[in-house]
Amino acid sequence: MMETTLTINGESITATVEPRTTLADFLREQRRLTGIHLGCEHGVCGACTIMVDGEPVRSCILYAVSCDGAHIQTIEGSDTDPVIVALQASFTAHHGLQCGYCTPAMLFTARDIVTRLPDADEDRVRLELAGNICRCTGYAGIVRAIMAVLHDRRAKNE
Amino acid sequence: MKAPKMTYARADSVAQALALLAEHGDGANVLAGGQSLMPTLNMRLSKPDLLIDINRLEDLAGISVEDDAVRIGALTRHAAVQRSPIVAEHLPLIAEAMPHVAHVAVRNRGTFGGSIALADPAAELPACILALGATITVESVRGRRDIAAADFFKGLFETERQPDELLIEIRIPCQRPGTVHAFMELSRRQGDFAIAGVACAAETDGETVTDAKLVYFASEDRPTLAANAVAAIAGKVWSDESRSAAMAALSEDLDPMDNLQGSAAFKLHLQRVLTGRVLDQAIERARAA
């Protein structure tokens, strides 16, 4: 067991963690942050994507102990993140979710797209979304929702 | 889908990592990005006694130009390589390959050195560094040594790196004038394991291909340098005939293995198609230059 300190959604937490515990399992089981969803547990489906030190990562293939000192943002701590809030409203408006299982992770990937690639077109959005699987196959709504936020952000910057 | 119990050590210096590797050797796994290692452990395909976490070894991360070569530290994240203006300027082959290396979230964590050390036969970067004639530096308590990429990849997930050695950096010669790079890959979904792929560094004036390195991945147990396909076109003016000759000769170079991504025959067919396309693109780029 190892003592590990993480800043989780703005709060500094020190916990004792087994080295083999993934960040996803630690956050879900010890911190009850169950907005992190586990689909495949080997980095293929993307459902466990969260933000670590400002970048989207797969929390199922990261050890909690290896993230000692990191800043973690999950969907539960994103109500004050204006980009996530805008994306959530857009997902609602454009039918960007069906069962919702992939949605928290989709939002973080979408956040990365709109902040890193402000000029992205629809083809690029689809390419960047390739790492997140929606088994309802509701991609059309997700792409529309992201494109709408991209257009809004461009309009505001003009 | 949970990793087995294991001991974990976070290395604070290269010397400490090397001492741990010297002590534990085969029983230890180096944890860098972990983007391939952790799925392997989650599926219990391997069971190390000790994980040596090198993520704090900042000295091993970074990209610089030294003596006409780009030096990429082993711990440099894929995302940093993809963003690097040095890579874009001097290693267009690597820049073109990076979007195919898994997905964004994986590239944010996975490392350049990790991909080389793992030697997955479907991986892009081993093929690229072989095509570019890179040199790999490894270190152990016994000392440092350089290994040519041509000598590094020994088989399925097997490399010349010994169990007590840590991969330190990869030095890749900068693109020279008169050489063009092109990279192509086919996969079901961008970022997934390749069905077929090729890295090409060709010496051409846009008319004649003087020489080329064609390296195929996602086919054999390691990246494969095709000599016969290149011999079929070397010194000849690029034409429909020479394209056909290269595609035909590829069966003497490549004997793909069946896997989940496709049968051997399917892969050979796709690699032939890519051979024609990648050389067409190299010629086109040489003409545009």
Side-chain angles (χ1 to χ4, degrees), chain A residues 2 18-20 25 40-42 44 56 58 60-63 65-66 68 112 116 127-128 130-131 133, chain B residues 1-6 8 10 35 38-39 41-42 44 51 53 55-56 103-105 108-109 189-190:
Chain A
M2 283 190 71
E18 209 184 341
R20 64 169 169 166
D25 282 345
C40 71
E41 292 186 73
H42 61 286
V44 175
R58 303 273 207 249
C60 78
I61 47 172
L62 261 185
Y63 290 115
V65 291
S66 192
D68 187 60
D112 181 57
R116 185 167 51 86
L127 199 66
E128 296 290 326
I133 292 174
Chain B
M1 295 299 287
K2 306 293 176 192
K5 276 190 188 264
M6 53 203 167
Y8 168 94
R10 184 183 296 129
Q35 301 297 285
M38 287 193 58
L41 297 176
N42 281 0
R44 305 229 174 168
L51 272 189
D53 186 344
N55 280 287
R56 297 285 168 93
H103 305 287
V104 177
N108 281 335
R109 196 71 197 173
R189 173 178 71 147
Q190 166 120 15

Side-chain angles (χ1 to χ4, degrees), chain B residues 65 209 221:
Chain B
V65 184
V209 178
D221 64 352

Side-chain angles (χ1 to χ4, degrees), chain B residues 63-127:
Chain B
I63 301 170
S64 56
V65 184
E66 283 166 26
D67 304 331
D68 297 327
V70 177
R71 178 204 155 276
I72 302 181
L75 196 65
T76 311
R77 312 280 166 187
H78 295 309
V81 176
Q82 193 174 9
R83 281 193 301 263
S84 163
I86 292 176
V87 171
E89 183 182 350
H90 297 294
L91 302 173
L93 183 68
I94 304 273
E96 196 172 11
M98 283 321 294
H100 297 274
V101 179
H103 305 287
V104 177
V106 173
R107 290 197 295 270
N108 281 335
R109 196 71 197 173
T111 65
F112 196 89
S115 177
I116 303 304
L118 181 68
D120 187 318
E124 295 80 5
L125 298 175

Side-chain angles (χ1 to χ4, degrees), chain B residues 80-166:
Chain B
V81 176
Q82 193 174 9
R83 281 193 301 263
S84 163
I86 292 176
V87 171
E89 183 182 350
H90 297 294
L91 302 173
L93 183 68
I94 304 273
E96 196 172 11
M98 283 321 294
H100 297 274
V101 179
H103 305 287
V104 177
V106 173
R107 290 197 295 270
N108 281 335
R109 196 71 197 173
T111 65
F112 196 89
S115 177
I116 303 304
L118 181 68
D120 187 318
E124 295 80 5
L125 298 175
C128 288
I129 71 158
L130 183 55
L132 297 175
T135 303
I136 295 134
T137 302
V138 296
E139 187 173 350
S140 70
V141 292
R142 297 175 287 125
R144 229 173 221 245
R145 65 187 179 116
D146 290 339
I147 306 164
D151 301 323
F152 189 75
F153 302 104
K154 308 293 270 190
L156 198 65
F157 300 106
E158 278 182 36
T159 69
E160 178 60 24
R161 184 185 72 84
Q162 298 305 302
D164 66 339
E165 287 176 321
L166 183 68

Side-chain angles (χ1 to χ4, degrees), chain B residues 91-98 100 121-133 179-186 194 196-202 211-219 223-226 229-230 250 254 271 274-275 277-279 281-282 285:
Chain B
L91 302 173
L93 183 68
I94 304 273
E96 196 172 11
M98 283 321 294
H100 297 274
E124 295 80 5
L125 298 175
C128 288
I129 71 158
L130 183 55
L132 297 175
T179 305
V180 283
H181 293 179
F183 180 93
M184 287 184 180
E185 174 175 328
L186 297 170
V198 60
C200 167
D211 197 5
K213 293 275 193 290
L214 287 174
V215 179
Y216 295 83
F217 58 98
S219 285
T224 312
L225 188 63
V230 173
L250 190 65
L254 207 59
Q271 296 288 32
L274 289 183
T275 302
R277 285 186 193 166
V278 85
L279 288 166
Q281 184 160 83
R285 286 179 179 171

